[in-house]
Amino acid sequence: VRRRHRVEILYTDSNEKQTARLIRPLHLEFWGQVWTLTAWCELRTAFRAFRLDRIRQLELTESPFEEEPGKTYEDFLEQLRTS
């Protein structure tokens, strides 16, 4: 999150389907028993929350990202407030 570099992950959803994702990690949260990573997902072109225990592979890239309108953690929070 602090390095502001894109991350490649192999993620398994609740239906056991695996997808490769390129994400911009924005924020980590702990929900009692589960850690989640809020990120901008390049594949879905939307915010997503990924459970850390469902990330099967993770590779840090050397590809930094700049803040872009509509893709920041503040934008994610605003989206939550207005939905």
Side-chain angles (χ1 to χ4, degrees):
V1 171
R2 289 187 187 129
R3 285 185 64 197
R4 301 176 54 83
H5 281 238
R6 289 176 178 86
V7 176
E8 294 177 355
I9 62 171
L10 182 60
Y11 189 75
T12 302
D13 68 16
S14 60
N15 296 318
E16 299 297 319
K17 181 181 176 192
Q18 288 191 350
T19 56
R21 308 287 185 103
L22 180 62
I23 62 172
R24 299 176 184 205
L26 301 173
H27 195 264
L28 285 168
E29 300 97 12
F30 183 66
W31 297 95
Q33 295 182 12
V34 178
W35 280 93
T36 60
L37 172 65
T38 301
W40 177 262
C41 178
E42 302 285 349
L43 177 67
R44 303 289 187 225
T45 60
F47 294 107
R48 291 291 190 261
F50 299 97
R51 285 180 44 164
L52 295 188
D53 62 327
R54 292 186 179 163
I55 295 175
R56 302 299 178 224
Q57 292 179 351
L58 181 141
E59 184 177 333
L60 301 174
T61 73
E62 292 302 318
S63 175
F65 63 88
E66 299 294 324
E67 283 194 3
E68 292 180 45
K71 298 180 182 180
T72 67
Y73 186 65
E74 291 74 21
D75 294 321
F76 168 73
L77 294 176
E78 182 62 26
Q79 188 178 73
L80 288 178
R81 282 190 284 274
T82 59
S83 62

